Amino acid sequence: MSGALQVIRVAINTPLNQLFDYLPPAKASGAQPGQRVRVPFGRREQIGVIVELDDQSEVPANKLRTAVELLDGDALLDEELMRLLAWSSTYYQHPPGEVISAALPAGLRKGAPPTLPRQFTWRATEAGRAADIATLARKASVQARILSLLIAKDSMPEAALREAHSNWRKIVSALQEKGWAECHETVADDSGPGIAGDTPPTLTQAQQQAIDNIPDSGFAPCLLEGVTGSGKTEVYLQLIQRQIAEGRQTLVLVPEIGLTPQLVDRFRRRIGDAVAVMHSGLTDAQRLNAWLAARDNRAKVIIGTRSAIFTPLAKPGLIVIDEEHDASFKQQDGFRYSARDLAVWRARQLKIPVVLGSATPAFESLHNALEKRYRHLLLPERPGSARQPDTHVIDLRQHALHEGLSQPLIQAMRRHLDAGGQALIYLNRRGFAPTLLCPACGITEECRRCDARMVLHQRSGKLVCHHCGSERRAISVCTECHTELIPVGQGTERLEQQLRKTFPEYSLVRIDRDTTRRRGELERLLEEVRSKDARILLGTQMLTKGHDFPDVTMVGIIDSDQGLFGTDFRSSERLAQSILQVSGRAGRGDRPGEVWIQTWYPDHPLLTTLLNGGYDRFADEALAERRKAAWPPFSFLALLRAEHSARVEVFEFLEQARSLAEGLATAGIQILGPASSPMEKRSGRYRGQLLIQAANRAELQHFLAGWRAAVSKLREARRSRWSLDIDPVELF
DNA sequence: AGCACGCCGACT
DNA sequence: GTCGGCGTGCTC
């Protein structure tokens, strides 16, 4: 390279949708993609990641600055991960620097070395053990207490000392001065103790068949459709063990609420301690530890939520997405990626199988299976004697409601409770009543910052907006005419009151965001259910995900009608999923379950198709509808959202964006809008959107690249807050 | 996003 | 007279 220019192209954590060219650091040789560099950026220094090398630059030579130093000897991010990140940045139209930042544990983002966090452990010396504690206690009681702790515990990590006393460092160094305590460095490794002791159960024929049909290697997307309780997890475990036997790793993605300690325990009991966990609740050190364990092949299984899709893998063998229909795999702000879709892309690049598991697959996935792009594996039965629950519809036109409960529902509950079973009652609305109405003037209490009604929370005596969180004191009479206000509709708080009145002899547990606010409270309540101390289980969506309740024999759905007349093309899909997910909680043990559904529309075609034809039949019909209307998966969408405290600003921006789009759109691109979002005002800001619909992905991608660049240069774009959502899951 | 520059209003 | 409001521009 005779004097040729050397340029490193760097991703920097900034909202600018571009890379930045630098000259390599003076003393460094062999800069390569995937290494972190410290670079001057504007008036500051930033940490970036080298994306590519070049021997020329578009940037004029006098503007090229020199990087300060390389932070890594070898690439921190391997080529495969860099490719995934680059593709994600392009596909989701998100700045490369922010994408890479999202993929790095916080410590590495800030420039820390990629090594396990150093951890120091303290212990008492021989002299310390022989010391006269009683005498010490007279002059320095805290030192004495800590010294006896060190003696009693044999050795203590710094974290434990910190808990013992906030000023621990000073105390311990005083002990060290006296020669009574010493410290040594240990390797931090808190991937809890796991003993692989569990023996695999006997498989059902369907489970065995699924396992036989999922290959060990080569790109193979597989949809594992299994009713709740049919043993999908067991299929995953056996596939994982096959990978481990081949010396390969498995990445398991689970929904946000699905990552429970019980799930991790189950994996550790089977697989041992080579299970690393990745989720947002970890400390920086724990996250770095898990990340490194995956990269260095110490972890054989990595279980994580959405962001774990960006975990580096030394020996990738398999990716599993559990509950693949779950909306939490799509990030809803900032870098709006779909971890499920990226998983399929990554598996293709890696040439490995990817298993999408669900009792209620996303219609997109089902469509891919029907089109034979995915292998379709079915687990129709429950292992052992457990049977599918019987479903009954309660026609509310014929049965009066008392405080939200109909007689048939109460009778069914009593029958199951008297027979020793547990009843689960599902109502996806928290608070006491969703509306506070003045019977005289018809006024309802509204949120001042949103287009929404305030929800009455009686116990706290507050009116709460469930959209922006604002609260005010509940009132009992109308501010206009002083008539007494009446709470209209049912929330879990009100239903709890009524159920306690109806079934005083059975104890009840309510699980929703309000009752589980305190740390550890959810676990405590779940334990009450599992130990059968509680017989009636009342709750919201929270109940339906990831928890096993083996003694629940009856499920009651209080209000199945929310979602029957939904606003977007996905609401029927979501309705079916939530009905089936909650129904799946019934009868997991050896007793058959029953599901009772209250509805005002027992003849609604959506409901009858779902209940008589089952999920796949329901999906068939819904997919036919979508094909007619050219909704996904028969088209591809991108949604430009904007918000501003002034309504006019939103539309000025969106109109400008629309005219840019009209100039760039090719034949297959449709521009819909701008329109107000379904709830136009939220948290004091007006919201609007522009929908782009395209017949094929490549055309959409091509259009979006040019459009996004043009939109971001609009003067109006600086005034409104806006975002571009590719493959949006929510259309508002 | 940061961060600076720059030009107008209400304060010690 | 200055402190500071946020509009505008720039980051290899």
Side-chain angles (χ1 to χ4, degrees), chain A residues 39 45 165 197 215 232 243 271 274 290 301 306 383 414 452 463 474 524 573 583 592 595 631 659 666 701 718:
Chain A
V39 292
E45 272 190 4
H165 199 285
K232 289 186 291 292
Q243 293 295 336
I271 283 147
V301 180
R306 181 176 64 232
R414 188 169 304 284
L463 290 171
R524 197 185 65 77
E573 174 177 352
S583 300
V595 179
W631 285 119
S659 53
T666 42
Q701 278 300 302
R718 314 205 91 227

Side-chain angles (χ1 to χ4, degrees), chain A residues 395-438:
Chain A
D395 182 353
L396 292 181
R397 295 168 308 182
Q398 291 176 29
H399 298 280
L401 283 177
H402 312 277
E403 294 283 303
L405 299 170
S406 65
Q407 271 312 312
L409 186 77
I410 293 173
Q411 282 160 9
M413 282 182 73
R414 188 169 304 284
R415 197 157 33 78
H416 281 267
L417 291 167
D418 289 349
Q422 285 175 316
L424 185 157
I425 304 300
Y426 172 72
L427 175 61
N428 200 25
R429 205 188 291 122
R430 62 198 174 83
F432 187 81
T435 309
L436 202 52
L437 173 81
C438 171

Side-chain angles (χ1 to χ4, degrees), chain A residues 440-514:
Chain A
C441 50
I443 290 176
T444 56
E445 289 297 312
E446 313 257 330
C447 175
R448 294 183 187 112
R449 308 172 65 215
C450 308
D451 294 330
R453 296 201 179 103
M454 298 295 274
V455 177
L456 174 64
H457 285 242
Q458 197 170 66
R459 189 169 306 179
S460 61
K462 282 175 179 158
L463 290 171
V464 181
C465 174
H466 286 185
H467 300 280
C468 71
S470 64
E471 296 181 349
R472 57 181 190 251
R473 251 199 126 70
I475 46 172
S476 56
V477 294
C478 179
T479 42
E480 301 287 318
C481 65
H482 308 290
T483 311
E484 193 164 336
L485 296 169
I486 38 178
V488 177
Q490 295 292 324
T492 46
E493 199 186 322
R494 188 177 203 171
L495 198 58
E496 173 183 1
Q497 215 173 64
Q498 188 57 27
L499 285 170
R500 284 192 194 280
K501 225 180 275 172
T502 314
F503 299 99
E505 68 273 41
Y506 295 114
S507 64
L508 175 150
V509 155
R510 167 157 70 98
I511 295 185
D512 58 29
R513 198 132 56 87
D514 298 316

Side-chain angles (χ1 to χ4, degrees), chain A residues 265-306:
Chain A
D265 279 352
R266 181 162 172 200
F267 273 72
R268 289 212 168 115
R269 280 200 310 272
R270 184 72 69 77
I271 283 147
D273 56 8
V275 176
V277 179
M278 288 271 226
H279 61 90
S280 57
L282 300 180
T283 64
D284 286 358
Q286 289 171 321
R287 201 183 303 227
L288 178 58
N289 191 10
W291 195 90
L292 291 169
R295 190 191 68 158
D296 301 339
N297 205 10
R298 279 180 288 121
K300 295 299 172 193
V301 180
I302 299 90
I303 311 181
T305 49
R306 181 176 64 232

Side-chain angles (χ1 to χ4, degrees), chain A residues 151-439:
Chain A
I151 295 169
K153 294 242 159 122
D154 199 42
S155 77
M156 286 176 82
E158 293 190 337
L161 281 164
R162 188 172 306 122
E163 266 177 41
H165 199 285
S166 58
N167 197 25
W168 64 278
R169 194 170 284 280
K170 208 135 183 226
I171 300 157
V172 144
S173 47
L175 290 171
Q176 190 178 25
E177 295 251 311
K178 297 192 175 94
W180 290 348
E182 60 185 10
C183 90
H184 49 98
E185 192 170 350
T186 47
V187 174
D189 188 0
D190 46 11
S191 60
I195 302 119
D198 275 11
T199 42
T202 316
L203 296 174
T204 64
Q205 207 185 342
Q207 283 173 320
Q208 189 60 55
Q209 211 169 342
I211 290 169
D212 293 343
N213 280 297
I214 296 170
D216 270 343
S217 59
F219 176 56
C222 305
L223 176 62
L224 179 63
E225 184 178 358
V227 299
T228 315
S230 61
K232 289 186 291 292
T233 310
E234 189 52 42
V235 173
Y236 307 150
L237 284 167
Q238 303 226 2
L239 292 171
I240 290 166
Q241 287 184 308
R242 248 163 45 186
Q243 293 295 336
I244 292 174
E246 300 283 330
R248 294 190 291 251
Q249 297 167 290
T250 302
L251 178 61
V252 181
L253 300 187
V254 297
E256 255 148 29
I257 358 169
L259 187 44
T260 58
Q262 293 93 296
L263 180 86
V264 177
D265 279 352
R266 181 162 172 200
F267 273 72
R268 289 212 168 115
R269 280 200 310 272
R270 184 72 69 77
I271 283 147
D273 56 8
V275 176
V277 179
M278 288 271 226
H279 61 90
S280 57
L282 300 180
T283 64
D284 286 358
Q286 289 171 321
R287 201 183 303 227
L288 178 58
N289 191 10
W291 195 90
L292 291 169
R295 190 191 68 158
D296 301 339
N297 205 10
R298 279 180 288 121
K300 295 299 172 193
V301 180
I302 299 90
I303 311 181
T305 49
R306 181 176 64 232
S307 64
I309 187 56
F310 300 115
T311 311
L313 297 167
K315 289 267 174 212
L318 170 71
I319 304 179
V320 172
I321 323 284
D322 189 31
E323 307 294 349
E324 63 91 32
H325 64 280
D326 195 280
S328 74
F329 289 121
K330 182 77 159 59
Q331 175 128 359
Q332 299 287 11
D333 54 79
F335 172 27
R336 309 176 102 100
Y337 63 98
S338 158
R340 185 237 287 149
D341 295 351
L342 287 180
V344 175
W345 192 89
R346 193 175 182 189
R348 187 195 309 270
Q349 289 292 302
L350 288 167
K351 302 185 173 66
I352 61 172
V354 52
V355 176
L356 312 182
S358 177
T360 53
F363 287 3
E364 282 91 338
S365 303
L366 220 38
H367 180 246
N368 279 323
L370 296 171
E371 298 280 302
K372 309 283 182 218
R373 281 192 287 269
Y374 292 179
R375 292 176 199 219
H376 198 179
L377 306 150
L378 294 163
L379 301 180
E381 69 208 76
R382 297 180 175 196
S385 52
R387 282 188 297 135
Q388 279 301 298
D390 295 322
T391 305
H392 308 268
V393 172
I394 302 169
D395 182 353
L396 292 181
R397 295 168 308 182
Q398 291 176 29
H399 298 280
L401 283 177
H402 312 277
E403 294 283 303
L405 299 170
S406 65
Q407 271 312 312
L409 186 77
I410 293 173
Q411 282 160 9
M413 282 182 73
R414 188 169 304 284
R415 197 157 33 78
H416 281 267
L417 291 167
D418 289 349
Q422 285 175 316
L424 185 157
I425 304 300
Y426 172 72
L427 175 61
N428 200 25
R429 205 188 291 122
R430 62 198 174 83
F432 187 81
T435 309
L436 202 52
L437 173 81
C438 171

